[in-house]
Amino acid sequence: MKKIIVNGGKRLSGEISVSGSKNAALPIIFACILTKGISEIENLPDIGDVKIALSLLESFGALIEREGNKTMIDTRRLRYVDPDVDLVKKIRASTYLLGACLSRFGRCPVMSFGGCNFSLRPIDMHIDAFMKLGARMDGDALVCDSPHGSVIEFRKASVGATVNAVLLAATADGETVISGCAVEPHIDSLISFLNSCGASITRHDREIRISGRSLHGGSISVIGDMIEAGSYLALSLMTDGNVRILKSPLFDMKASLDAFSSLGAKICFSDGSLYGSIDDGRYFSVTTAPYPGFPTDLQPLLAPLMAHQRGGEITDNVWPTRFGYLSSLSPFGVKSTVNDNRALIFKSEIRNGISSAPDLRGGMAALICALAAEGQSEIYSAETILRGYEGLEEKLCALGADIKIKKL
Ligand code: EPZ
């Protein structure tokens, strides 16, 4: 267990560079299980979830070496073992073991997968897709002797189900068409990586077409993390600072930047750096939607800003119950109410306090409150934030924050 001690109230300014996207890196790491070769992944973020994903690959016999900003993953000689349940239950991305292991080994137990527990996180669409591709249940495991092409129609956009269907279909015998797929940037980066491994995958709008192939090693550079970029922009605005966010994936952030602008922020970007300021904030309502809509992962980071400005409303149509984090913001004075899938955030006096990180993005929202509030604050379960924000302490200190992360 770790805690962050914050001496807040400072106007943060300076430059930070966005790291590789957690949600793009994780599908790529598990996709290496499909390949019989050596893959080179650049810009892999050094965060908790990635470390756990790499450990799961090593348990199958993958050889992993870091050379500067490159990670070489050798999956030429893998043998099946039951995945370590203690690792699996720590991250949501361990669901990708299902598609990857069915493809490589023909079996995978359906385990209790981890991840932020702000909602029930069903995998019915994953399982339906596997069945369409030739898998069946054998006790508590999925087995698939010879995956074959199929037509898969998702009833709603699901990042995880899309990733898993692509992972099994990529090496299946024949053609697969997936309709109703998720179209987040990290889906396209997975497709690019698999195609660099010899796969034959195309996406047009919400339809993915796959012609199964056997795969060799490939290479990719992980795209920048749009949620990290949005988190630091919210922090800069919250402290009335001047943080320049380099390497922001601006093209992926249209809906996010529109939301900041509607809140009253003046958003600027020049020579690849993103920055902003707020002179006169506005009451603002935002509704989340699958990409290219406003990302659900950024809604917790807007709540402190709404409270600090003139209040606002957040409706989450992706995770209707994703408002538990508001109880972690109330020690900092954030006043809110929740009704069904909508939260009302009231204009509030932000003050220092003691809280904990309930999940990854809610934990970062609590840290933003602590950094904005005058005086000393503490946030427990800080390891939850380190799961998804690379170099958090270094980046914040570079911006003038007075923080310490302590092991308990
Ligand atoms: C991914 O989760 C992300 N996690 C989440 O980010 C993100 O919030 C989410 O996509 C939506 O963008 C990773 O990439 C590791 P979904 P995932 O399947 O794949 C329903 C973060 O903070 N659904 O797209 O689990 C589901 O209940 C994390 O980085 C089914 O009903 O999300 C939800 O309402 C938090 N049945 C909706 O679809 C299924 O079989 C979208 O979920 C699968 C999903």
Side-chain angles (χ1 to χ4, degrees), residues 22-23 26 92 96 118 120-126 155-160 184 296-297 318-319 322 360-361:
K22 166 179 85 80
N23 292 348
L26 292 165
R92 173 69 184 173
Y96 303 150
F118 49 64
L120 284 177
R121 300 187 72 172
I123 59 167
D124 56 296
M125 294 200 289
H126 302 232
R155 60 182 165 79
K156 67 190 295 190
S158 159
V159 169
E184 273 71 359
T296 173
D297 295 345
V318 178
W319 303 109
R322 186 183 192 161
L360 170 60
R361 308 303 175 185

Side-chain angles (χ1 to χ4, degrees), residues 122-166:
I123 59 167
D124 56 296
M125 294 200 289
H126 302 232
I127 303 291
D128 291 349
F130 295 140
M131 299 299 185
K132 289 258 178 66
L133 292 164
R136 59 184 168 78
M137 289 305 293
D138 175 13
D140 68 353
L142 273 162
V143 293
C144 189
D145 307 326
S146 54
H148 56 71
S150 181
V151 175
I152 296 167
E153 291 171 17
F154 286 131
R155 60 182 165 79
K156 67 190 295 190
S158 159
V159 169
T162 301
V163 168
N164 257 331
V166 167

Side-chain angles (χ1 to χ4, degrees), residues 8-58:
K10 298 173 177 17
R11 296 178 68 171
L12 301 187
S13 65
E15 283 185 352
I16 60 114
S17 285
V18 167
S19 298
S21 159
K22 166 179 85 80
N23 292 348
L26 292 165
I28 289 167
I29 291 171
F30 288 105
C32 291
I33 295 172
L34 277 58
T35 69
K36 292 189 175 104
I38 301 175
S39 294
E40 179 186 287
I41 306 174
E42 198 170 359
N43 201 32
L44 206 54
D46 184 17
I47 53 176
D49 279 21
V50 164
K51 291 188 180 106
I52 289 168
L54 294 174
S55 300
L56 284 164
L57 259 67
E58 285 176 322

Side-chain angles (χ1 to χ4, degrees), residues 226-247:
M226 62 179 170
I227 304 301
E228 183 193 21
S231 302
Y232 279 95
L233 181 59
L235 172 62
S236 181
L237 296 169
M238 189 76 181
T239 64
D240 193 21
N242 179 17
V243 175
R244 301 216 164 208
I245 303 152
L246 308 180
K247 301 184 186 172

